[in-house]
Amino acid sequence: MIKNLQTIIALCFLLVLAGCSNNQKITVASHVWPGYEFMFLGQNIGLLDSSLVNLHKTDSASETLQLLHQGKVDGGALTFDEVLRAKNDGLDLVVVLVFDISAGADVVIGKAGVDSFADLKGKKIAVEVGSVGSIMLDRLLKEANLSEEDVEVVEASIDQHLNFWKAGQVDVVITYEPVSGKLLELGGHEIFSSQQAPNLIVDVLALKKEALKNRLSIQHLIETHFKAKSHFSSNHQDSIFRMSGRLEVAPEEVDEVFKGLFLPDYNNNLRLLSGNEPELHISARLLNDILHLKNREKLHSYLNNLIDDSFLLSIDR
């Protein structure tokens, strides 16, 4: 009996080693957004093991999605609606972490003369189509009792927003930090924000399904995120100084760019991602209705393979 038990233990140990040996370095793409910055802060302070994770910097969510479709990266920092769109387009992504929930951080900024919903008709609105901008546009138009035919939608990725504004090519921009702060400094004013669209704009870490076998690397990245968040709290001045460069703001302005963001801790991540009916599933159903991606039967199959909480449950805390 003892001999059989020893054999079983030895086999289990070999299986663990085999699983570890399958682990490979992962590459995760991300553009600049406050909620994603703890990964980069972790890299900056030496928490991130470069033999396990490579952070690939992009200029926009659109570029991140393009790299995922091209097979050049294993995962990306994306909004939840972008993940659903990508799955609709055949890219099998799985959510393993929630970075943040926007509660006022995504904004609609208008120029002088565009002061209210009534002023939007016929105006040129810059939107990053196929990303969170489309969700904000949908909510904005519903609040204003308008349709897309009542405005002129100008497709523009986040890295184009400031230039389009300065060149006078648009009247309104749907955007977020660090661009939104710069537009406000140039005389823009807020018309609408994600505070009026609760639980629809959620930023997540999503991995390709085939990359999930790299468990050590994924767990390490999630651990790095939470450890960097702790550093942000306990060593705040050091953190804001390090983060200001990527965020393109002065150190004393870093806290401002986090306003309007709920940053879930470990337990809140479990609430959002774990259980028989994770809260993120509710958001998925709401987004499905807005995006008109698939019928309910297809959405049900998506939900069954949309989230993997096992990495959260197994990280070293």
Side-chain angles (χ1 to χ4, degrees):
M1 183 71 177
I2 294 175
K3 187 174 182 180
N4 287 339
L5 180 61
Q6 290 174 334
T7 302
I8 291 170
I9 293 172
L11 286 171
C12 289
F13 182 69
L14 288 173
L15 285 172
V16 169
L17 288 179
C20 293
S21 66
N22 288 333
N23 188 81
Q24 295 179 354
K25 181 177 182 177
I26 59 170
T27 297
V28 173
S30 171
H31 65 287
V32 176
W33 169 249
Y36 304 156
E37 291 308 301
F38 296 107
M39 295 188 296
F40 292 93
L41 175 61
Q43 183 181 54
N44 191 292
I45 61 179
L47 293 174
L48 191 70
D49 187 341
S50 60
S51 70
L52 294 176
V53 180
N54 172 49
L55 296 179
H56 183 87
K57 303 169 188 177
T58 62
D59 292 325
S60 65
S62 300
E63 184 183 349
T64 296
L65 284 165
Q66 184 179 28
L67 291 173
L68 282 164
H69 279 289
Q70 293 172 344
K72 294 182 178 178
V73 297
D74 303 295
L78 298 164
T79 53
F80 191 40
D81 61 287
E82 288 162 350
V83 173
L84 291 176
R85 290 177 197 271
K87 288 182 78 70
N88 184 65
D89 292 336
L91 190 61
D92 200 356
L93 296 178
V94 179
V95 174
V96 298
L97 175 73
V98 175
F99 290 115
D100 63 76
I101 299 174
S102 181
D106 293 272
V107 293
V108 180
I109 297 178
K111 289 189 172 182
V114 188
D115 304 312
S116 66
F117 293 152
D119 300 319
L120 289 172
K121 193 168 184 177
K123 296 301 188 291
K124 296 178 179 178
I125 304 178
V127 183
E128 185 165 10
V129 176
S131 72
V132 66
S134 295
I135 302 295
M136 288 291 289
L137 178 64
D138 176 270
R139 299 291 93 180
L140 173 69
L141 294 177
K142 278 184 170 57
E143 288 289 331
N145 198 26
L146 297 171
S147 69
E148 282 200 29
E149 287 70 35
D150 294 318
V151 299
E152 184 177 340
V153 175
V154 179
E155 292 194 29
S157 58
I158 182 65
D159 53 309
Q160 296 175 306
H161 288 180
L162 187 59
N163 289 335
F164 276 39
W165 178 280
K166 288 180 177 179
Q169 294 175 261
V170 294
D171 307 296
V172 177
V173 178
I174 298 176
T175 192
Y176 46 83
E177 291 287 5
V179 176
S180 57
K182 294 175 182 177
L183 296 185
L184 292 173
E185 289 176 1
L186 291 172
H189 56 275
E190 185 179 307
I191 300 173
F192 184 75
S193 82
S194 54
Q195 191 168 16
Q196 293 142 286
N199 298 321
L200 285 179
I201 302 174
V202 182
D203 286 286
V204 300
L205 174 61
L207 277 296
K208 287 184 174 181
K209 188 174 182 180
E210 61 263 30
L212 296 181
K213 65 181 182 293
N214 303 307
R215 296 196 62 84
L216 287 179
S217 296
I218 297 170
Q219 287 171 205
H220 175 67
L221 180 56
I222 294 173
E223 287 172 359
T224 298
H225 167 79
F226 286 120
K227 287 177 181 177
K229 276 184 88 258
S230 295
H231 184 86
F232 183 76
S233 298
S234 60
N235 296 275
H236 195 63
Q237 290 304 311
D238 175 72
S239 297
I240 62 175
F241 179 80
R242 293 173 185 271
M243 297 172 91
S244 64
R246 266 186 54 82
L247 289 170
E248 298 180 355
V249 297
E252 60 270 19
E253 296 173 342
V254 168
D255 286 334
E256 188 69 24
V257 304
F258 281 95
K259 285 188 175 179
L261 280 184
F262 170 60
L263 303 168
D265 58 12
Y266 178 82
N267 288 329
N268 275 302
N269 257 273
L270 288 180
R271 174 178 59 81
L272 291 161
L273 299 178
S274 291
N276 294 328
E277 183 61 272
E279 288 194 23
L280 212 58
H281 279 185
I282 300 170
S283 296
R285 292 190 181 95
L286 290 171
L287 288 168
N288 185 72
D289 291 339
I290 293 171
L291 301 172
H292 308 294
L293 292 179
K294 291 285 187 182
N295 59 36
R296 286 285 175 181
E297 288 73 23
K298 285 290 186 181
L299 179 64
H300 181 72
S301 68
Y302 279 1
L303 294 183
N304 289 336
N305 301 285
L306 184 62
I307 294 169
D308 188 338
D309 66 349
S310 67
F311 298 96
L312 271 175
L313 295 169
S314 58
I315 66 170
D316 180 21
R317 296 183 62 231

